[in-house]
Amino acid sequence: MTLAILYALLAGVLVSLSRQINGRLSLSTSALTASFWNHIVGLAVLTVLGLALGGLWPQGALDAPWHAYLGGTMGVIFVASGSWLIARIGAVNTAMLVIGGQMVSGVLLDLVRGAQDNIVTSVVGVAMIIAGMSLTQKR
Amino acid sequence: MPALTRPAPFHLLLAFASGGLLTLMVDFNGLVALHAGPFYSSWVAHGTGTVAALIFLGVLRLASRDDGKTDTPQKPRAPLWAYLGGVSGAVTVMLTSHTVNTALALSGTLALGLAGQVLFSLAADRWGLLGMQVRIPGLRDFSALALIFAGSMIIIFGQG
């Protein structure tokens, strides 16, 4: 359990670490170029691991609906915008605003799907996030 | 290097929209993972992403084909480590696909992941880690951070 907690914390650290590194690369190239390198290097690492451990092409590899395979393209835009933002507004602001967008859109998605279990806490949470986001704005 | 500023409304909108894109991306990649596992899902997302990035870069180059008249200032060379951001993304997937199956479940994984992001970002700005600018967070930043973090926790743990 302690190990799982460390892993989950480390996963968050790595998200910010990779944004910081890609942000640095974008200063010397461009945000989109940084996103390209992020993806091709990640692909190389995962390919080596998949070849070593097996399971690169599992059963069901092509069974998901076609639109599900657009996730990678979204990732390119996501990494490019993060690299662009972090060089302009810093790591804390970028992380906070992206997290805010992720949480609020997650609540909306659940709402649309009727998977929202507790509307009261969600509304309170969204209100706090919006208040926090408006605090980050220039006066 | 562009000067760091407080976010303008445009920054806020872009970041907010990219958070929304992340929600969709996680959902789509999760759908692939449902059919063929989290490792494959991440591998295929990196593969299709590489192709998509090449296409985007090609389109941009065609659109802005300059005739050599504009001088662009020379940018500083990137150190070799700056190309390794993708390694940490690849490792993240493996960590989280493990932790969601422990007692932490999805909510614990999300909450601790947000905490990890906040802690690292604070240190990154404070000391300008990895060649980025120093930006010392003030009271306003901490208040915003506290509100967004607490609001996120209420949403994550309010479910179920």
Side-chain angles (χ1 to χ4, degrees), chain B residues 51-74:
Chain B
V51 175
L54 277 174
I55 294 173
F56 290 155
L57 284 170
V59 169
L60 272 189
R61 176 159 297 191
L62 280 180
S64 69
R65 200 166 23 191
D66 75 54
D67 32 22
K69 269 185 248 162
T70 43
D71 310 305
T72 39
Q74 198 69 44

Side-chain angles (χ1 to χ4, degrees), chain B residues 74-149:
Chain B
Q74 198 69 44
K75 291 177 178 173
R77 263 179 83 89
L80 204 59
W81 55 258
Y83 291 87
L84 298 179
V87 176
S88 98
V91 176
T92 306
V93 181
M94 284 187 268
L95 291 173
T96 52
S97 55
H98 167 72
T99 56
V100 290
N101 294 313
T102 65
L104 290 179
L106 182 61
S107 44
T109 300
L110 278 174
L112 288 163
L114 294 194
Q117 288 186 51
V118 168
L119 292 176
F120 183 85
S121 307
L122 282 169
D125 274 353
R126 172 65 186 79
W127 289 292
L129 299 183
L130 298 153
M132 302 298 278
Q133 263 182 280
V134 173
R135 186 176 183 285
I136 296 178
L139 184 61
R140 213 178 151 90
D141 300 285
F142 281 109
S143 316
L145 197 60
L147 276 168
I148 293 174
F149 189 75

Side-chain angles (χ1 to χ4, degrees), chain A residues 12 14 16 18 20 28-29 46-47 58 61 67 76 88 91-93 96 102 105 113 116-118 122 133 135-137, chain B residues 4-5 7 12 16 23 27-28 36 39-40 43 45 49 75-76 85-86 88 113 117 125 129 135 140 145 158-159:
Chain A
L14 289 177
S16 292
S18 87
Q20 193 82 3
S28 295
T29 57
L46 290 169
T47 303
H67 73 266
V76 171
R88 284 159 184 83
V92 171
N93 277 323
M96 279 193 296
Q102 189 187 4
S105 59
R113 289 184 173 159
Q116 194 58 253
D117 293 333
N118 194 339
S122 294
M133 288 176 65
L135 258 191
T136 67
Q137 290 296 286
Chain B
L4 286 184
T5 51
L12 183 130
F16 194 77
T23 297
D27 195 61
F28 284 23
F39 184 86
Y40 172 79
W43 182 71
K75 291 177 178 173
S88 98
Q117 288 186 51
D125 274 353
L129 299 183
R135 186 176 183 285
R140 213 178 151 90
L145 197 60
Q159 295 297 310

